[in-house]
Amino acid sequence: MKKYILVTGTTSGLGLAIAKAFLEENFIVFGTGRRIELLEELQNGYRESFIPLCFDIQDKNATQQAINKIFSTTKQLDCLINNAGLALGLEKAFECDLSDWETMVETNINGLLRITRLVLPSMVKNDAGTIINIGSIAGTYPYLGGNVYGASKAFVKQFSLNLRADLIGTKIRVSNIEPGLCSETDFSLVRFKGNREKAKAVYENKTTLKPQDIANIVLWIYKQPLHVNINSVEIMPINQTFSQLVVK
Ligand code: 8X3
């Protein structure tokens, strides 16, 4: 029997690598994103195995319509990967743009909440399913300019744990993956609003995680025996580590 998975944010980076990993395992992948041409590129490669859902995760009605489309195709969504999210700006809290904060909350928190809430009842009904949220080490370790981005990922972390609490007695699994520095994504380009120089400098001369590293871990979590729930996985490249507390 075919297995169905929904991956949000599949036009680049982690979402693209995760979608491909599951496509290679013969899943039917619903992939969301705003850039239709990139979704179509993926569809051209994988034909009917990839079903593009082109919409903005900030749009409540469009989200509902996309979820309706999924459930008109299958009654059993086996897995939801909440990957779509973004960081905007790296300014200090008293200098940054308030609308950037609102966009991050709307995407990283509200977008994720809406999709999860719309998908959950069918998983509960089927008493099966896996939800894997893409958090960040920024949800645990504060850094200068991380303000609302980090806070939104702390939300994802705690929401994942609280979902586990609510889903006691069901066979639904919930995991949160918290990657550190990861290149070959649009993350920094988006954070620095298209400034390629600044985005490039974040990764220059550094060993970084790659989207494929995260995709491998997502697949590993999914493939665990059904009684095994990986609560969280925190991943950094070998050369990223902790800094001491600052005293001034
Ligand atoms: C991305 C990791 O450290 O750049 O979520 O915030 S970090």
Side-chain angles (χ1 to χ4, degrees), residues 63-192:
T63 303
Q64 176 71 67
Q65 280 168 24
I67 299 294
N68 291 348
K69 181 166 178 193
I70 292 172
F71 288 122
S72 66
T73 309
T74 176
K75 293 289 170 242
Q76 178 134 9
L77 192 64
D78 294 285
C79 186
L80 163 63
I81 314 280
N82 276 316
N83 162 71
L86 79 175
L88 287 173
L90 196 60
E91 292 84 22
K92 290 182 183 172
F94 48 89
E95 291 165 337
C96 62
D97 194 337
L98 180 59
S99 68
D100 284 349
W101 280 9
E102 289 166 344
T103 304
M104 286 188 275
V105 168
E106 197 47 45
T107 309
N108 302 0
I109 298 180
N110 291 333
L112 179 143
L113 287 182
R114 279 191 285 267
I115 296 220
T116 306
R117 182 62 184 85
L118 291 170
V119 159
L120 263 177
S122 87
M123 286 189 172
V124 171
K125 193 166 169 217
N126 297 326
D127 199 14
T130 302
I131 298 174
I132 302 176
N133 293 327
I134 306 297
S136 166
I137 59 160
T140 303
Y141 309 104
Y143 60 81
L144 212 149
N147 45 67
V148 167
Y149 175 68
S152 73
K153 293 299 185 176
F155 178 96
V156 172
K157 180 194 188 98
Q158 195 63 20
F159 180 60
S160 306
L161 294 174
N162 280 334
L163 275 179
R164 290 270 296 120
D166 286 358
L167 291 167
I168 184 72
T170 75
K171 296 194 178 75
I172 301 163
R173 304 182 296 178
V174 184
S175 306
N176 184 39
I177 303 190
E178 302 163 37
L181 193 70
C182 184
S183 62
E184 297 178 14
T185 75
D186 287 344
F187 180 80
S188 289
L189 195 60
V190 171
R191 169 168 259 174
F192 297 118

Side-chain angles (χ1 to χ4, degrees), residues 164 173-176 220-222 224 228-233:
R164 290 270 296 120
R173 304 182 296 178
V174 184
S175 306
N176 184 39
W220 174 79
I221 289 175
Y222 179 82
Q224 292 304 304
V228 176
N229 192 102
I230 305 293
N231 292 341
S232 63
V233 179

